[in-house]
Amino acid sequence: MTAEDYILEIKWCPTFHATSIWIVTRCEGATTLSVQIEASARTPAYTTILPVSSILAESLYQTVCYVVSRDTKNTETMARDGIIFYGSLVSDSFSADAFEYCSPRSEQLPHRLVESLFSLVPLQTTGMTLASYMRSLRRYFDFDRSPF
């Protein structure tokens, strides 16, 4: 069975850090993650492209399809502190033109999507700018209490 090609775009908008865009592209069996972090007072602009394993790429695709098709709640209103993320997924068999979630907690279904996205980037293999940015975002999510 051949894995399906897709493009997933996620825009992270934390209230406490720079906005970033993550684009996962799987084409003809090869998958990459492009990360673009906007410049802010804390972070210089940063762009990188990383390879993604086929296993993680397939897991991410399945997770996004599962979460987006089952989570029908509207996003919570953005408070003074939090992370809202917007996304879209395009493939031949499943498309989600626009979805958004605000600060999903560990017991909420969208938290699975966050976990799957973060699994794409092993912190020890990234540059300092991306690792620092990801640690800042990760601290916000309660990964230790996730039931998934």
Side-chain angles (χ1 to χ4, degrees):
M1 183 175 146
T2 304
E4 186 168 357
D5 292 347
Y6 68 87
I7 297 174
L8 170 67
E9 184 173 322
I10 300 290
K11 181 176 183 179
W12 298 96
C13 300
T15 57
F16 53 86
H17 214 310
T19 296
S20 66
I21 297 173
W22 294 20
I23 301 172
V24 180
T25 305
R26 182 166 63 187
C27 183
E28 298 179 1
T31 307
T32 58
L33 168 64
S34 168
V35 177
Q36 301 168 347
I37 302 173
E38 294 179 3
S40 73
R42 295 178 53 187
T43 309
Y46 178 81
T47 300
T48 191
I49 297 175
L50 304 168
V52 175
S53 83
S54 60
I55 293 170
L56 291 177
E58 182 59 24
S59 176
L60 174 63
Y61 178 75
Q62 295 299 327
T63 299
V64 173
C65 292
Y66 181 83
V67 170
V68 171
S69 65
R70 284 167 180 75
D71 188 72
T72 58
K73 299 176 195 160
N74 292 326
T75 185
E76 297 173 23
T77 303
M78 179 64 104
R80 292 183 183 180
D81 185 32
I83 299 175
I84 192 166
F85 62 98
Y86 305 92
S88 65
L89 173 68
V90 177
S91 73
D92 286 340
S93 66
F94 186 88
S95 289
D97 293 335
F99 54 90
E100 66 181 78
Y101 300 106
C102 182
S103 303
R105 305 314 318 157
S106 63
E107 68 279 358
Q108 296 172 318
L109 192 56
H111 199 274
R112 285 188 186 186
L113 195 151
V114 173
E115 290 178 30
S116 190
L117 280 163
F118 274 67
S119 75
L120 298 181
V121 187
L123 292 179
Q124 66 274 18
T125 64
T126 65
M128 288 300 295
T129 300
L130 181 55
S132 174
Y133 181 80
M134 287 190 59
R135 283 188 191 99
S136 179
L137 294 185
R138 258 189 92 80
R139 279 193 293 262
Y140 191 83
F141 295 105
D142 47 353
F143 286 106
D144 296 336
R145 294 178 293 207
S146 177
F148 301 115

